[in-house]
Amino acid sequence: MFGKSVNLIKVFGFQVKVDISWIIIAGLVTWSLAVGFFPHYLEGLRPVDYWILAIFGALGLFFSIVFHEFWHSVVARKMGVPIKGITLFMFGGVAEMDEDPRTPKSEFWIAVAGPLSSLFLALVFYLLFNLSLTLDVIPGVSSVLMYLALINLILAIFNLIPAFPMDGGRILRAILWQLKKDLRWATQVAAKGGSIFGFVLMGLGLLNILTGYLVGGLWYFFIGMFIRFVAQNSYRQIMVRNALKDETVQKLMKNPVHVPGDITLRELVEDYVYKYHYKLFPVKEGESMKGCVTTRQIGEIEQKNWQDILVREITRECSPENTVGPDESVVKVLGRMNRSGVSRMMVVENGELKGIISLKDIMASLSARMELEGDSSFTD
Ligand SMILES: [Zn+2]
């Protein structure tokens, strides 16, 4: 979901990162404040003054979003849900949770903390705005304060819309989860809310585009698409985690196909790669495991040399990226495969190769489970 992100600051142990897409948005926000909002609200300033106000406005917006995500993170940490960090990206911010909240109560409080903190900031900026009016400070200062009060109010209200994965959707899910004790059903309903809301935004976007507001229209349209995508995706993710939560690597691993070290690369390709279509093979000599050989390594060697080189000559130590323990949970392995792009991992215990676990086998087990449990949303 994210592109390249840059580490920025650390707030109470939470790393704040900024995705490249956010820098573009920051530029757009500053520009629209400088030529739109501030000139409209406060007349008679020089253009350069509007730009200065706009920069303060954009910095305040940045602070407001970090503040909102920060409170999600603080409450999550208090509830025992680990937080990797806060990332600002195109459509706002996100507190990256490593796992889902375990109880409806913790989900409720983590979700509600964000909008509450935004409401609080809106109130603070509103009071400061009033104070600045009575103290008769530079008019620019009051207009920035008013903008920040307004934007925090909008942040709070927008996030409270009951559409998963937005805060309001999470609050709704927590309440439904508490009422019926069924996380699956609660997620389904909240995600449907997200899907519908995304659709409404896309429709509004189209309407705007058709009536001549191209930029605003595209904006609505993309946010709508994004919310729909995330709603559907997070529903699937939760179903997958639920279905596989008790599975360990041991249960799903297969016997490994070993390759002897004393055959040539040509033989390896003909007899193993073309036969099994694996990208990685463990190399064994006698009873001991020597390491790994991958198709990428073979590809780096010219084909005409394949019959002169033995497998043992290019065998490398298997990287920790490719190995897991037999007792690890399949959900965690799936997460690792997702991040690293590796689809086959060796199951190693005390330096000995026990088996191989592949994405294909995990998926096969998942689809069998789904079919038995009568969930058809995965078969498409
Ligand atoms: Zn939030």
Side-chain angles (χ1 to χ4, degrees):
M1 180 164 78
F2 301 116
K4 245 187 141 36
S5 56
V6 183
N7 287 346
L8 209 66
I9 37 168
K10 223 168 183 170
V11 197
F12 295 102
F14 301 115
Q15 180 68 55
V16 178
K17 285 174 279 184
V18 172
D19 188 73
I20 299 295
S21 61
W22 205 83
I23 295 169
I24 302 166
I25 299 310
L28 268 176
V29 166
T30 314
W31 171 73
S32 70
L33 285 178
V35 304
F37 183 85
F38 287 124
H40 179 80
Y41 175 74
L42 190 72
E43 281 170 9
L45 294 186
R46 294 172 304 163
V48 61
D49 294 328
Y50 289 127
W51 278 98
I52 293 170
L53 294 183
I55 288 169
F56 277 106
L59 284 174
L61 173 65
F62 175 82
F63 167 77
S64 302
I65 296 174
V66 172
F67 189 81
H68 176 111
E69 299 306 331
F70 171 75
W71 282 103
H72 280 310
S73 308
V74 168
V75 176
R77 188 153 72 179
K78 218 168 175 76
M79 299 284 181
V81 179
I83 292 282
K84 270 196 282 184
I86 295 168
T87 301
L88 297 190
F89 73 114
M90 192 138 170
F91 303 116
V94 62
E96 291 172 77
M97 283 187 260
D98 246 358
E99 46 193 88
D100 275 322
R102 286 188 203 101
T103 61
K105 222 166 146 188
S106 57
E107 160 132 85
F108 179 84
W109 288 113
I110 295 169
V112 98
L116 278 185
S117 73
S118 293
L119 275 180
F120 170 78
L121 267 192
L123 188 70
V124 169
F125 281 122
Y126 181 71
L127 291 176
L128 286 174
F129 163 68
N130 268 329
L131 194 69
S132 75
L133 287 185
T134 53
L135 288 180
D136 222 16
V137 290
I138 324 163
V141 174
S142 336
S143 65
V144 172
L145 289 170
M146 195 205 69
Y147 164 72
L148 291 175
L150 198 69
I151 205 75
N152 274 290
L153 187 67
I154 293 172
L155 268 179
I157 293 172
F158 185 77
N159 274 295
L160 280 172
I161 293 169
F164 194 84
M166 292 197 300
D167 298 335
R170 290 182 183 277
I171 295 169
L172 173 68
R173 180 171 82 154
I175 295 170
L176 296 176
W177 183 8
Q178 174 74 27
L179 285 177
K180 257 187 123 177
K181 311 280 179 233
D182 185 348
L183 175 61
R184 186 173 165 152
W185 170 77
T187 309
Q188 199 171 14
V189 174
K192 198 145 269 170
S195 246
I196 293 171
F197 177 62
F199 218 67
V200 169
L201 277 187
M202 285 169 72
L204 273 177
L206 273 182
L207 208 70
N208 268 296
I209 293 169
L210 291 176
T211 48
Y213 298 98
L214 182 69
V215 177
L218 280 176
W219 191 235
Y220 278 125
F221 192 82
F222 285 126
I223 295 186
M225 258 173 64
F226 175 74
I227 289 176
R228 271 177 71 79
F229 171 78
V230 179
Q232 284 158 357
N233 232 26
S234 26
Y235 174 60
R236 282 178 187 215
Q237 228 174 47
I238 281 149
M239 293 304 94
V240 168
R241 278 191 210 176
N242 238 10
L244 295 175
K245 68 175 186 290
D246 301 322
E247 295 282 23
T248 59
V249 167
Q250 191 135 35
K251 267 161 91 182
L252 293 186
M253 71 186 186
K254 291 255 167 71
N255 284 334
V257 174
H258 293 284
V259 169
D262 57 0
I263 61 169
T264 65
L265 294 191
R266 164 87 43 214
E267 287 170 312
L268 171 65
V269 170
E270 298 289 341
D271 299 344
Y272 291 88
V273 179
Y274 289 159
K275 184 170 171 200
Y276 297 102
H277 314 292
Y278 298 156
K279 287 181 182 155
L280 179 150
F281 291 92
V283 181
K284 216 173 174 185
E285 298 208 34
E287 268 314 293
S288 67
M289 163 117 168
K290 291 293 174 199
C292 291
V293 61
T294 62
T295 46
R296 190 183 296 162
Q297 280 170 278
I298 306 169
E300 282 165 4
I301 295 167
E302 274 188 75
Q303 286 209 21
K304 64 175 166 46
N305 297 329
W306 282 0
Q307 56 254 48
D308 305 320
I309 299 177
L310 294 181
V311 167
R312 118 174 12 121
E313 293 172 58
I314 64 162
T315 299
R316 302 267 154 76
E317 206 178 315
C318 308
S319 67
E321 198 181 63
N322 292 334
T323 54
V324 285
D327 299 323
E328 237 173 286
S329 93
V330 169
V331 174
K332 282 215 170 116
V333 171
L334 213 52
R336 277 179 62 186
M337 286 179 170
N338 216 347
R339 279 194 293 275
S340 63
V342 170
S343 60
R344 287 171 65 73
M345 290 179 144
M346 320 248 221
V347 187
V348 176
E349 192 179 33
N350 304 324
E352 209 181 307
L353 184 69
K354 295 279 178 193
I356 290 227
I357 184 153
S358 70
L359 184 61
K360 221 170 101 193
D361 293 335
I362 299 177
M363 283 318 182
S365 143
L366 181 68
S367 98
R369 268 168 184 278
M370 290 296 172
E371 218 160 275
L372 288 175
E373 288 168 26
D375 190 317
S376 59
S377 60
F378 284 92
T379 41
D380 57 320

